Amino acid sequence: MAVRSPLSSPPYLHLLLRRSLLAPTPLKLALPRARPLTASSARAGNPRSGGFVPRGSVDAAENGAPAAASAIAGASVSSAIDFLTLCHRLKTTKRKGWINHGIKGPESIADHMYRMALMALIADELPGVNRERCIKIAIVHDIAEAIVGDITPSDGVPKAEKSRREQEALNEMCDILGGGPIANEIKELWAEYEHNSSIEASLVKDFDKVEMILQALEYEMAHGKVLDEFFLSTAGKFQTDLGKRWAAEVVARRNKRLGKQA
């Protein structure tokens, strides 16, 4: 009999990752239900929680309070781990643009988003710009790629279709998370970026391009390549003053290295 590793992903996650997003009907997932917490199981250490149970849950069980609140809390923990397990794919999925240009061991989607979040963290204070919101947008803007992968212009997928696939994937990820305020915030942040509907979204879109050309410069230096495509595709497309200044600095460093006139 095969023994399932405790670290294995829940079966429905594998099903989700294999399914085609082109299917017209979203996949309905049956998430596991948490067992009601009792005083004895709380004192012993609930195996679902790795032995840790919040003090409030123990008190509720000992006082004979309804188990509904505890069950909801347990499901929330389970859903959070399911969601994070799915997001692991962001750490392992490599950015396709670099693969297409023969870069060995290229950055992952998560690598890209992490440095964008750092950009938002260290950026100058800008009037009317919510730094925390910029960081959040940077963290979630490519999150749907955990399911759809990194779709690039070379794939020939129309922009509207790419957006549809990512929206569907995002909805499924938020369902796995269990819905609620945090899931709704993730959807809102993603849509804000997708539709470029705020100054924060515009700034993060600039960070997206700056991060890409900075990475291109680093790969040129490390691999002896010339990656003109990434610089040409972003030239003149920066929306904010900060984005323009950072991009100009990256380009100036590249021109100096290549012996070009700025």
Side-chain angles (χ1 to χ4, degrees):
M1 180 178 69
V3 179
R4 184 182 172 206
S5 167
L7 297 180
S8 299
S9 300
Y12 68 83
L13 276 183
H14 296 291
L15 176 61
L16 172 62
L17 298 177
R18 289 197 302 267
R19 71 179 288 272
S20 169
L21 287 175
L22 297 178
T25 304
L27 182 65
K28 302 298 183 182
L29 302 176
L31 297 178
R33 291 182 175 274
R35 296 178 181 176
L37 180 68
T38 64
S40 58
S41 66
R43 283 190 294 268
N46 190 337
R48 287 177 57 84
S49 62
F52 172 78
V53 179
R55 180 67 243 176
S57 299
V58 177
D59 293 341
E62 290 178 340
N63 295 331
S70 298
I72 291 173
S76 177
V77 170
S78 177
S79 296
I81 298 304
D82 290 341
F83 176 82
L84 294 172
T85 298
L86 178 55
C87 287
H88 173 257
R89 289 174 60 86
L90 297 169
K91 297 170 63 176
T92 58
T93 303
K94 305 302 182 182
R95 299 251 288 166
K96 193 179 296 182
W98 308 125
I99 295 174
N100 292 344
H101 283 77
I103 301 298
K104 295 182 179 180
E107 65 169 350
S108 68
I109 297 167
D111 292 332
H112 168 65
M113 293 196 296
Y114 176 72
R115 187 153 64 172
M116 284 176 61
L118 285 180
M119 289 177 173
L121 180 64
I122 69 171
D124 298 339
E125 290 288 348
L126 299 174
V129 175
N130 184 323
R131 182 191 304 276
E132 180 181 349
R133 192 163 189 83
C134 288
I135 295 171
K136 288 181 177 181
I137 292 173
I139 291 171
V140 307
H141 82 285
D142 278 342
I143 198 169
E145 293 181 11
I147 293 178
V148 303
D150 183 21
I151 301 173
T152 67
S154 64
D155 294 317
V157 178
K159 185 176 180 180
E161 172 61 15
K162 177 178 180 290
S163 182
R164 185 199 68 79
R165 293 185 193 182
E166 291 180 348
Q167 179 70 73
E168 183 176 331
L170 183 75
N171 291 342
E172 292 181 354
M173 293 179 75
C174 288
D175 286 345
I176 289 173
L177 189 55
I182 298 300
N184 290 338
E185 183 182 18
I186 290 174
K187 290 181 181 180
E188 180 182 302
L189 292 165
W190 181 88
E192 189 173 322
Y193 179 87
E194 182 73 4
H195 301 297
N196 197 20
S197 59
S198 69
I199 182 61
E200 288 83 6
S202 296
L203 184 57
V204 177
K205 280 185 174 289
D206 278 0
F207 290 157
D208 182 60
K209 297 179 183 69
V210 171
E211 203 288 323
M212 184 177 71
I213 62 173
L214 178 57
Q215 186 65 74
L217 174 58
E218 291 162 349
Y219 283 149
E220 285 185 336
M221 296 170 65
H223 298 279
K225 291 180 175 289
V226 177
L227 301 170
D228 284 335
E229 175 186 328
F230 298 94
F231 295 90
L232 294 173
S233 66
T234 56
K237 295 184 178 179
F238 294 91
Q239 305 173 71
T240 66
D241 180 66
L242 180 62
K244 292 173 183 177
R245 286 189 282 117
W246 282 15
E249 176 66 20
V250 175
V251 171
R253 294 187 181 198
R254 181 178 189 250
N255 288 341
K256 181 178 180 180
R257 177 177 175 273
L258 297 177
K260 294 181 179 180
Q261 293 293 324

